[in-house]
Amino acid sequence: MDLSRFSDKELIEEWAFSLASQEAIETFFDDYSAEVTLPFRTEIHKRGLDNHPKVIEADKKLIQYALKEKPYPPVITDNYEPPLEYWWWHIDKIGEKTYPAELLPEPLRELYLQEF
């Protein structure tokens, strides 16, 4: 999917909407939604928008969900191998608490380490 046509605001809104409620987050992991949605987070990162308040808020929701529910890895059907630094693709490792904490942004790292 070519995300270059999306404005920064649209990317952030899509990411925040995807994680707006418990039901949305559960849907995110129950089907192929992650494969469609996670590229938005990757594009947010590539554009340097990681520290936007709405992004941080949505990221925290995802981390909290992972720590509580220990989800399966996101389904990836196109042979994409996300780098470990793209923590949002490795949410299963976060849930298992095997993800390297030093690779998480500071606000998320604190949340992750609190759960130990």
Side-chain angles (χ1 to χ4, degrees):
M1 175 190 288
D2 179 19
L3 298 177
S4 64
R5 63 182 178 86
F6 288 88
S7 70
D8 292 354
K9 182 180 178 185
E10 289 170 327
L11 287 170
I12 291 168
E13 290 299 325
E14 179 67 29
W15 182 243
F17 179 77
S18 297
L19 301 164
S21 68
Q22 183 72 18
E23 182 180 12
I25 295 171
E26 288 170 1
T27 300
F28 188 88
F29 288 101
D30 284 347
D31 56 24
Y32 293 94
S33 296
E35 186 177 35
V36 173
T37 305
L38 290 175
F40 282 85
R41 183 60 180 85
T42 301
E43 185 66 19
I44 287 168
H45 176 73
K46 288 178 180 177
R47 293 189 191 185
L49 303 170
D50 295 314
N51 292 320
H52 187 283
K54 283 187 175 183
V55 173
I56 292 172
E57 181 182 332
D59 288 351
K60 284 182 176 181
K61 288 178 183 179
L62 185 55
I63 295 285
Q64 289 168 331
Y65 177 83
L67 292 170
K68 181 180 175 193
E69 301 297 332
K70 298 166 186 40
Y72 292 110
V75 175
I76 304 171
T77 59
D78 66 359
N79 296 322
Y80 175 63
E81 292 290 333
L84 196 55
E85 291 77 15
Y86 288 7
W87 62 265
W88 50 94
W89 286 97
H90 302 281
I91 206 67
D92 56 313
K93 293 177 182 73
I94 290 171
E96 295 166 352
K97 298 183 182 173
T98 60
Y99 187 82
E102 65 273 7
L103 295 180
L104 289 168
E106 188 62 38
L108 304 180
R109 185 179 318 138
E110 290 174 14
L111 182 62
Y112 180 68
L113 292 174
Q114 283 177 6
E115 298 294 326
F116 279 101

